[in-house]
Amino acid sequence: MRPGGAPGGGGNYGGRGGPSGCGCGMYIIVLVIILIYLVLNGAFGSTIFTGSSEITKSSVDRQSLPAGSVNETEYYTDELGWINNQTKMEDGLKYFYRKTGVQPYVVIIDNVNGSYHPTESELDSYANALYDELFTDEAHLLFVFDEYDDSYMDRYVAGTQAKTVVDTEAADILLDYIDRNYYDSNLTDEEFFSNSFRDAADRIMTVTKSPWISAMTTIGVVFGVVILIILLFVWWRHAKNQKNLEAKQTEEMLNTPLEKFDDVEIEELAKKYQDNPSDHQDEQKE
């Protein structure tokens, strides 16, 4: 059975045929620092802690094969009795098929023509012959996984049409996921294969963005939100100060004895409150 961390060898072989000043500055600075930390942790956390930096980056914008390219077959052959849950095993393989238009087929063995320690050339010949034996189209991806004595070799064979999607870079992505998940003892054998093909399909069909670009874009959005918050706060504080100033001026006028005003001022005040009695009542309440 697949070891949970025992040393092994992965054969990555070729394919077939070849800041603010609004009185709340300290709070804003702290907020910005926290947001930047969260952004950077989100952008780089998976790379730092999950080892995804070891997975080959996808630099090609790939298009899936058109419908009808594949004469659909079964999805795997298990000669070692590893697979106990067919649904779990096929889940990721079928996802790969839907995503890429290429149908994968996994063969699990421990020997090649009776040899438990085949050479790369022998495994290569075996896989190519098996492809022609199993399929009647050029849109399959055959993946041979040979494990014996806690060591494994693998070999992929992509049909001519399948290679337009699963090129060398895409195949390297799949092999990288196989190699990484092989040592994850938390995965069942079904999940090992299923997750590897599922994750590979997502990465193969999406151009891998630089984490720095993603981080800088997100940071730009964060700063934009912070600036908006600052502007809204400044506007709110100005409006509040203006309202308080007007209320204070009104209170001072109401508390000023009439004898201190000349006749003209008295007439203007009387006219003002005669024209706007409701304003006068509101201002007194304040």
Side-chain angles (χ1 to χ4, degrees):
M1 295 295 288
R2 180 174 59 89
N12 298 352
Y13 315 131
R16 188 184 200 191
S20 125
C22 64
C24 57
M26 183 58 67
Y27 296 103
I28 296 297
I29 291 173
V30 172
L31 176 63
V32 171
I33 292 174
I34 293 174
L35 289 174
I36 291 177
Y37 169 78
L38 293 175
V39 169
L40 292 177
N41 187 59
F44 299 110
S46 60
T47 298
I48 294 172
F49 298 110
T50 69
S52 63
S53 59
E54 300 172 1
I55 305 299
T56 300
K57 295 179 181 179
S58 177
S59 62
V60 180
D61 185 11
R62 299 176 177 88
Q63 301 297 319
S64 62
L65 292 182
S69 300
V70 174
N71 298 323
E72 192 170 359
T73 62
E74 299 295 328
Y75 283 83
Y76 68 94
T77 296
D78 176 18
E79 295 187 4
L80 304 184
W82 282 19
I83 308 305
N84 297 313
N85 189 318
Q86 179 179 349
T87 301
K88 282 187 178 180
M89 174 65 175
E90 292 186 352
D91 183 62
L93 301 179
K94 289 181 177 180
Y95 181 86
F96 187 96
Y97 179 25
R98 292 193 300 271
K99 195 83 172 180
T100 66
V102 176
Q103 184 187 345
Y105 190 101
V106 175
V107 176
I108 307 169
I109 59 175
D110 64 358
N111 72 91
V112 173
N113 298 324
S115 174
Y116 291 97
H117 299 284
T119 64
E120 295 182 6
S121 178
E122 289 173 336
L123 186 59
D124 180 79
S125 297
Y126 171 81
N128 275 282
L130 188 59
Y131 187 101
D132 293 330
E133 179 184 328
L134 291 174
F135 313 124
T136 59
D137 58 54
E138 292 292 329
H140 270 82
L141 173 68
L142 174 64
F143 183 78
V144 179
F145 189 85
D146 176 22
E147 186 199 84
Y148 181 75
D149 195 22
D150 292 336
S151 179
Y152 81 90
M153 300 174 67
D154 51 24
R155 177 69 163 93
Y156 73 90
V157 179
T160 302
Q161 192 174 6
K163 286 171 65 176
T164 61
V165 180
V166 187
D167 50 28
T168 301
E169 181 182 80
D172 285 341
I173 290 172
L174 173 61
L175 294 172
D176 287 344
Y177 277 113
I178 289 288
D179 187 60
R180 188 177 76 177
N181 291 336
Y182 179 78
Y183 299 102
D184 188 345
S185 59
N186 294 319
L187 299 177
T188 65
D189 294 316
E190 295 91 345
E191 291 170 338
F192 158 55
F193 288 109
S194 186
N195 291 3
S196 296
F197 275 87
R198 174 181 290 275
D199 293 341
D202 286 335
R203 196 171 184 93
I204 286 169
M205 301 306 291
T206 305
V207 176
T208 306
K209 295 181 180 179
S210 167
W212 281 109
I213 295 176
S214 300
M216 293 307 296
T217 300
T218 308
I219 289 173
V221 173
V222 170
F223 272 111
V225 172
V226 171
I227 291 173
L228 178 60
I229 292 173
I230 293 172
L231 293 176
L232 290 174
F233 178 82
V234 171
W235 172 83
W236 171 81
R237 192 181 68 165
H238 175 75
K240 182 178 180 181
N241 289 342
Q242 185 66 26
K243 185 176 181 180
N244 291 339
L245 178 61
E246 292 176 356
K248 183 178 179 181
Q249 291 174 342
T250 301
E251 183 180 1
E252 290 176 351
M253 280 194 261
L254 293 175
N255 293 332
T256 301
L258 290 177
E259 55 268 20
K260 291 189 177 183
F261 294 93
D262 57 31
D263 293 340
V264 176
E265 290 176 327
I266 293 175
E267 290 178 3
E268 290 179 351
L269 287 172
K271 183 178 180 182
K272 173 183 177 183
Y273 289 105
Q274 184 178 5
D275 294 340
N276 300 285
S278 60
D279 291 346
H280 175 54
Q281 293 175 358
D282 291 342
E283 290 172 352
Q284 286 182 324
K285 290 180 181 179
E286 293 181 3

